[in-house]
Amino acid sequence: GSGGREHALAWRLAKSGHEIVAAPGNPGIEQVARCVPIGVGELDRLCELVVAERVALCVVGPEAPLVAGLADKLRACGVTTFGPGADGARLEGSKAFSKQFFHRHSIPTAPFRICASVAEAEAAIGELGEVVVKADGLAAGKGVVVAKDAAEALAAARDMLEARRFGDAGATVIIEKQIRGREVSVLAITDGKTLEVLPAVEDHKTIFDGDRGPNTGGMGTVSPAWTSDDVIARIRHEILDPTVRGLAADGIDYRGVLY
């Protein structure tokens, strides 16, 4: 990878005494790693690099190569890899898949409808009231519109489905009932059986002060966030643990971060 997330991972691994090779890296990562100019979408070249360098552990930062199956390819080459295979990466790569997964395994989630046309979206907006409109696929953190009214929601759905603002990522949209409250992001590391819950994080994604404006791709982040031990215990009991059990029940060998 080449972003701030990958810089943090490379910095911490280097601090622990590991020799780091990064692809493609960035000027910050270059301070702690040897960078090789191979893009995250060049899966075969990445596998060749990892094998040639006799890498002991490959850490895949970005979502897109995980969704494309990079972790599967690396494991097929015999390389220990941190990151889910393509089947598990659908939790991040397809909001429709993740919502259906939550529903199937009785994991709390906002009421939703999956829509492939503007007519379906309009009916869902009428049914659910105040809604959030989400592009199904990866949209670099920008594919979510928290609509203030039905007209804005319908315009957002039309923008995704007909104008294809997010390309194929918006060929399907999720219309989701708005839930009001304070946001928290909880990440956990899992080997597919056990969980290690990381400190809670609070994102700030809207473009203007006062929590106004559209979501941005980047975000400010505060950690530790506002949670309590009781809140984290509830998140683990109601969401994280059932997700790990559900993945196992669905035959998905998930190794990496659950977000």
Side-chain angles (χ1 to χ4, degrees):
S2 60
R5 175 191 308 175
E6 290 77 35
H7 188 178
L9 288 164
W11 170 82
R12 191 62 184 84
L13 289 166
K15 189 176 179 181
S16 296
H18 300 290
E19 179 188 351
I20 313 297
V21 178
N26 63 34
I29 293 174
E30 204 164 33
Q31 297 174 22
V32 297
R34 175 162 53 88
C35 295
V36 180
I38 299 176
V40 296
E42 300 179 79
L43 305 193
D44 290 336
R45 288 190 66 200
L46 289 169
C47 290
E48 290 167 4
L49 172 69
V50 168
V51 171
E53 294 284 351
R54 300 176 67 184
V55 167
L57 171 66
C58 187
V59 180
V60 184
E63 295 93 345
L66 290 170
V67 171
L70 178 57
D72 301 298
K73 283 179 171 287
L74 289 165
R75 291 187 178 111
C77 293
V79 179
T80 301
T81 302
F82 184 83
D87 53 359
R90 285 182 294 171
L91 279 179
E92 180 71 16
S94 170
K95 295 179 183 68
F97 173 84
S98 64
K99 295 291 279 188
Q100 290 168 328
F101 175 89
F102 299 149
H103 181 70
R104 186 165 63 253
H105 294 289
S106 301
I107 298 167
T109 191
F112 67 97
R113 298 293 179 267
I114 297 169
C115 305
S117 69
V118 172
E120 290 178 357
E122 188 170 18
I125 293 163
E127 178 187 357
L128 294 174
E130 283 193 315
V131 298
V132 179
V133 182
K134 299 182 176 183
D136 174 48
L138 294 176
K142 301 180 182 70
V144 175
V145 175
V146 182
K148 65 178 182 294
D149 54 34
E152 185 180 10
L154 186 59
R158 184 171 280 115
D159 194 31
M160 295 179 195
L161 289 165
E162 291 185 346
R164 290 300 177 96
R165 180 181 172 194
F166 302 110
D168 290 343
T172 300
V173 301
I174 287 75
I175 307 295
E176 184 177 278
K177 188 172 182 63
Q178 280 192 37
I179 295 178
R180 299 198 176 274
R182 192 162 181 183
E183 189 273 346
V184 66
S185 297
V186 177
L187 288 78
I189 297 170
T190 183
D191 60 357
K193 303 176 184 67
T194 59
L195 278 169
E196 183 69 30
V197 182
L198 301 178
V201 174
E202 188 171 12
D203 292 342
H204 302 275
K205 293 196 69 172
T206 47
I207 197 166
F208 302 122
D209 289 343
D211 202 26
R212 293 177 298 113
N215 276 5
T216 60
M219 62 189 78
T221 303
V222 175
S223 183
W226 54 269
T227 55
S228 65
D229 290 345
D230 287 344
V231 168
I232 295 300
R234 183 180 173 194
I235 290 169
R236 176 166 187 151
H237 175 71
E238 294 186 18
I239 300 172
L240 292 171
D241 286 336
T243 296
V244 171
R245 290 196 297 269
L247 287 164
D250 288 351
I252 296 173
D253 180 13
Y254 194 104
R255 285 173 273 174
V257 171
L258 280 173
Y259 166 66

